[in-house]
Amino acid sequence: MSTPATPDQEPSAEAPEPSEPSEPSEALRRLAAAHGVATDYWDWQGRHAPIHADTIVAVLAALDVPAATPEQVEEGLAGHEDRRWRRTLPPTVVAREGWTPWVSVHVPHGTGVRLTVELESGATWDVPQADHLVSPRWVDGTEVGEAAFELPGTLPLGWHRLVAHLDATPLDPASTEATLVVTPRRLTLPPGLSGRRAVGLMTQLYQVRSSSSWGIGDLGDLAELGAWAGDEHGADFVLVNPLHAAEPVPAMEPSPYLPTTRRFLNPLYLRVEDIPEIRALDADDRARVAALAERGRALNDADGLDRDASWRLKRAALGLVHTAGLRGSRARDYRRFLAAEGEGLTAYATWCAIAEEHGLPWTDWPAALRDPLGDEVARFRAENPEAVDLHRWMQWVLAEQVRATQAALRRSGMRLGLLEDLAVGVHTEGSDAWSLSSTLATGVAVGAPPDQFNQLGQTWGQPPWRPDRLAEQGYRPFRDMVRTALRDSAGVRIDHVIGLFRLWWIPAGMTPDRGAYVRYDHEALIGILTLEAERAGAVVIGEDLGVVEPSARDYLLERGLLGTSILWFEWDDDGPRPPEAYRELCLSSVTTHDLPPTAGYLALEHVAIRERLGLLTRTVEEEQAAELQAIDGVRHALRDRGLLAADATPDDELVALHEWLARTPSRLLAVALADLVGDRRAVNQPGTIDEYPNWRVPLTGPTSERVRLDDITEGAVDALASRVFGVLGGR
């Protein structure tokens, strides 16, 4: 989400100094540490930054840990010590393949206990008890003992259950079973990456409009774009923006990185004409769909992207197609899909149907409808089965079209195919915030502390996972989200992958610089991600830009996850980082969606935008000079390698930048479609919402002329694409 600045920028003298923190007591520090809440950190300038006591108190409150008074702190410390002794088993145990961890079991002192593992295959294994001498502890008036069991290192990968069998009544009957996850030691690279690197295309799909689009690029366009890249230029993958679902009613959030849910997809990307049931409509309804399509295609002539207008037309058409019903094998396939997706899909579809009747935000709904498990919600679902089913059906059709897209990409010769993007969080008023409210923290938002590029810090407006609740639920919400992303694609890019280690929580009413880091069990989260990717035969790319703890990058490498490198951000003490020094397990590219395309970047479009919006922290002349110095440093390095001539054209320069990447050992290299068409406009300006048309600009050429997919596939950029993919080593 956040983007580092070019390395030669100096901090502005006008940048705000952090206010003097109120010192937390030693007891508050211990309580914070017990719950994974940091009491200090190192900022982007390498300075030690203590965290305010009131921030720590507010973050602990979001974890349901009162800490406003010394008495509450002491009670919290005592309660934390007793908490694990109250449970027979920990809620979730995550181990790597071959590991033999001990599992602590708490029972009334003197009670006999044995432990078994119920494998997902249905088999049952006994777990041997280990010698473990620990004094019993009095908890809530009961003397509690602790036994230990050593899990065998031969357990298979997968999702299993631990079951404790007691000779007496357990302290907490609900805690006699626990989730056991056995994960791979390291993610195996898929066959498409064995032997040699893969070269691919990256794009924001909604920008890529064709003559068949309804104002927004769709999955049909993605299949056509991928076929062109694979057939004509030897591309091995297409990486797209998150396809997560947005609001089902206007106004639709334009940012694909602020979805309503990360588990389900946005029906806006459906190609209506490709749904088989359209042929079962009567003549009048087919005519209505055709008329809606004509109005949708007229939206392609607009300079800006109007998601709301596109969705109104597409929603009307989908409603008509849904009435055709399903028959034969398609009806059976749909029933299997519903069974596989279970209650999560029904909850999402119910939220969408209620939103269509009562509007958004859901926090304004009648009180009884705000409880996803309440009787009124169940009554609404029973009384509106068609409205709910429509949104479930749309997810099935989406899954079908994504699967068909991946098949088309593979037929074009791609070794990988579709790579999806996973956003770091969800909208605070979205469907996940409603249906998963018990798993998400309230009263805080995710963001980032001040850094070189955003010296006031950032608030992303997303509620974070609660680490404790994820463990209590066996990490199922996280697993289900990952499974959907990997179901029909070759891999996934994890936006802000460091969020699987720690996230910056900002209490409501506080500025971004007044947040605190909260730790997550990265062994569990990344282990589950690795397990699901291993089973899907997928690659995982972590977006690890910006300030990252070195140990986190080492851990990602250990688990077989790829990192991310952007040419403009790769610097060392002597200037641009030599290509040979790039990481091997990495996706490398010249640019990213948080910068203008290369033509715009070289023309300092990013400086012009920030000057226009009043976002600069120093004079525009200083900013331009610093950026030009960095760009000239790259050009000088290219010339030293013989990659760039003195009389180079803009196309020559783009080719030279990619030839620099070709000399890296990186396993994945990506080319931005916006660079191939000569686009100059930034798709996103970090730190803004409506001040700049973020995520709302279509693909355009060097003189701001609209570029359609038809132009691309009919040869408009073939010459440049052939040169770029040629130096990168495309098939």
Side-chain angles (χ1 to χ4, degrees):
M1 297 291 290
S2 58
T3 306
T6 47
D8 60 321
Q9 284 184 325
E10 296 295 332
S12 169
E14 299 176 6
E17 290 294 328
S19 55
E20 196 65 31
S22 52
E23 187 75 14
S25 67
E26 180 57 32
L28 181 58
R29 290 179 191 275
R30 287 191 288 117
L31 182 61
H35 292 277
V37 179
T39 57
D40 61 359
Y41 70 102
W42 296 91
D43 71 9
W44 62 281
Q45 293 176 305
R47 300 178 305 192
H48 181 249
I51 293 174
H52 296 239
D54 53 350
T55 296
I56 297 170
V57 169
V59 170
L60 285 171
L63 292 167
D64 293 332
V65 180
T69 66
E71 293 77 18
Q72 288 179 334
V73 172
E74 293 300 330
E75 289 175 8
L77 285 169
H80 180 74
E81 291 295 322
D82 289 341
R83 186 173 62 173
R84 73 183 189 93
W85 286 77
R86 291 189 176 100
R87 295 187 57 95
T88 303
L89 292 173
T92 303
V93 176
V94 179
R96 294 193 211 180
E97 186 179 24
W99 280 10
T100 58
W102 284 15
V103 177
S104 297
V105 181
H106 297 99
V107 296
H109 185 51
T111 300
V113 61
R114 64 187 182 88
L115 188 67
T116 61
V117 176
E118 295 180 356
L119 301 180
E120 61 181 4
S121 66
T124 299
W125 288 17
D126 290 319
V127 181
Q129 188 167 351
D131 291 333
H132 182 58
L133 298 178
V134 174
S135 299
R137 181 187 184 97
W138 285 94
V139 179
D140 302 329
T142 300
E143 191 175 20
V144 180
E146 180 177 280
F149 292 80
E150 183 175 88
L151 294 177
T154 53
L155 283 169
L157 297 177
W159 292 83
H160 314 304
R161 296 292 295 170
L162 287 172
V163 181
H165 307 270
L166 279 67
D167 294 342
T169 302
L171 299 169
D172 176 10
S175 68
T176 58
E177 294 190 8
T179 300
L180 170 63
V181 193
V182 181
T183 70
R185 287 181 177 270
R186 180 182 175 86
L187 177 60
T188 305
L189 288 177
L193 278 179
S194 61
R196 64 182 180 90
R197 66 161 45 120
V199 179
L201 197 65
M202 60 182 185
T203 189
Q204 301 286 308
L205 176 58
Y206 51 85
Q207 283 192 299
V208 187
R209 304 187 295 192
S210 70
S211 58
S212 300
S213 306
W214 294 26
I216 295 289
D218 59 32
L219 289 166
D221 296 321
L222 177 56
E224 187 175 352
L225 174 67
W228 166 80
D231 286 333
E232 301 297 329
H233 300 290
D236 289 309
F237 64 86
V238 180
L239 170 63
V240 297
N241 55 276
L243 303 179
H244 309 317
E247 295 79 1
V249 295
M252 185 177 287
E253 167 60 48
S255 172
Y257 292 92
L258 191 57
T260 188
T261 175
R262 291 184 290 174
R263 179 175 173 185
F264 300 108
L265 305 182
N266 193 341
L268 185 62
Y269 292 117
L270 282 171
R271 175 67 64 88
V272 175
E273 294 88 339
D274 289 348
I275 302 174
E277 280 66 40
I278 201 169
R279 295 189 295 271
L281 295 175
D282 61 32
D284 289 342
D285 279 345
R286 285 201 303 273
R288 292 186 182 97
V289 172
L292 291 165
E294 185 177 357
R295 291 168 60 191
R297 288 190 289 270
L299 295 173
N300 293 327
D301 294 329
D303 180 56
L305 301 178
D306 190 342
R307 287 172 171 81
D308 292 341
S310 295
W311 175 238
R312 287 188 186 97
L313 298 171
K314 196 162 286 191
R315 168 62 180 82
L318 290 167
L320 287 169
V321 179
H322 179 247
T323 63
L326 298 169
R327 295 170 182 81
S329 62
R330 287 184 60 75
R332 291 192 294 273
D333 288 346
Y334 181 49
R335 288 195 296 270
R336 282 192 288 268
F337 176 81
L338 295 182
E341 296 299 325
E343 294 180 1
L345 175 59
T346 298
Y348 163 74
T350 301
W351 181 85
C352 290
I354 299 174
E356 289 189 320
E357 181 167 320
H358 290 278
L360 291 174
W362 64 264
T363 50
D364 290 344
W365 292 351
L369 291 176
R370 297 178 212 157
D371 177 7
L373 301 178
D375 292 341
E376 193 61 30
V377 169
R379 184 178 298 110
F380 178 93
R381 189 160 47 237
E383 293 174 353
N384 299 274
E386 288 299 312
V388 173
D389 188 66
L390 170 63
H391 292 279
R392 297 193 302 180
W393 171 81
M394 283 192 280
Q395 291 302 313
W396 175 61
V397 178
L398 275 162
E400 282 198 320
Q401 292 198 2
V402 171
R403 190 178 308 118
T405 297
Q406 171 66 350
L409 300 189
R410 293 301 299 270
R411 283 196 303 272
S412 76
M414 289 189 174
R415 289 182 289 143
L416 293 175
L418 176 62
L419 299 181
E420 295 192 43
D421 204 343
L422 187 67
V424 68
V426 296
H427 199 293
T428 188
E429 294 176 341
S431 66
D432 277 1
W434 178 77
S435 63
L436 300 176
S437 56
S438 64
T439 316
L440 299 171
T442 58
V444 291
V446 174
D451 61 26
Q452 195 167 356
F453 199 73
N454 299 278
Q455 295 185 12
L456 300 177
Q458 298 179 73
T459 299
W460 300 334
Q462 300 166 333
W465 294 118
R466 280 187 52 162
D468 55 337
R469 296 284 173 78
L470 275 177
E472 290 167 6
Q473 296 183 31
Y475 292 91
R476 284 186 298 276
F478 179 77
R479 178 199 65 185
D480 292 344
M481 174 187 72
V482 170
R483 278 185 177 174
T484 298
L486 295 173
R487 181 176 56 205
D488 300 306
S489 65
V492 64
R493 171 192 178 272
I494 309 292
D495 189 47
H496 194 66
V497 72
I498 303 308
L500 301 182
F501 294 81
R502 66 178 187 177
L503 278 175
W504 186 252
W505 288 23
I506 305 164
M510 294 189 183
T511 52
D513 61 308
R514 292 287 300 277
Y517 279 114
V518 175
R519 289 278 177 187
Y520 289 80
D521 186 346
H522 62 273
E523 179 69 33
L525 291 171
I526 294 177
I528 291 167
L529 177 62
T530 303
L531 171 62
E532 295 302 320
E534 183 78 14
R535 289 184 155 183
V539 64
V540 177
I541 304 155
E543 186 265 289
D544 55 355
L545 302 175
V547 179
V548 177
E549 295 170 303
S551 60
R553 283 202 175 104
D554 292 341
Y555 182 87
L556 294 173
L557 177 64
E558 177 189 348
R559 301 306 299 269
L561 273 63
L562 277 69
T564 301
S565 288
I566 307 301
L567 185 149
W568 299 114
F569 302 152
E570 289 291 325
W571 289 70
D572 57 27
D573 293 339
D574 297 323
R577 190 182 310 280
E580 298 81 7
Y582 279 47
R583 293 172 287 173
E584 179 184 0
L585 275 189
C586 192
L587 166 68
S588 293
S589 63
V590 173
T591 189
T592 177
H593 60 251
D594 283 331
L595 292 176
T598 299
Y601 188 83
L602 295 175
L604 303 186
E605 177 67 14
H606 52 306
V607 177
I609 293 172
R610 285 186 287 157
E611 179 195 16
R612 192 162 63 245
L613 300 180
L615 298 177
L616 295 178
T617 57
R618 53 185 171 183
T619 68
V620 65
E621 290 79 14
E622 291 175 309
E623 198 76 22
Q624 288 172 338
E627 292 296 299
L628 285 173
Q629 182 181 358
I631 290 169
D632 286 344
V634 171
R635 284 172 169 153
H636 183 73
L638 293 173
R639 293 189 185 106
D640 281 351
R641 296 280 182 132
L643 304 179
L644 187 66
D647 59 349
T649 66
D651 283 359
D652 295 337
E653 194 158 27
L654 184 68
V655 173
L657 290 166
H658 286 90
E659 191 166 0
W660 179 275
L661 292 183
R663 300 189 178 194
T664 72
S666 299
R667 286 295 189 102
L668 293 181
L669 299 178
V671 181
L673 179 63
D675 280 353
L676 294 180
V677 302
D679 205 345
R680 299 168 65 94
R681 293 195 295 186
V683 72
N684 175 49
Q685 172 55 49
T688 67
I689 300 176
D690 292 323
E691 301 92 328
Y692 182 82
N694 294 327
W695 321 109
R696 286 166 282 188
V697 295
L699 206 61
T700 55
T703 58
S704 298
E705 74 278 14
R706 289 187 293 279
V707 175
R708 290 195 183 178
L709 176 58
D710 313 67
D711 303 319
I712 296 168
T713 58
E714 290 170 9
V717 298
D718 272 346
L720 179 58
S722 293
R723 293 181 64 193
V724 171
F725 278 100
V727 299
L728 291 178
R731 286 179 285 108

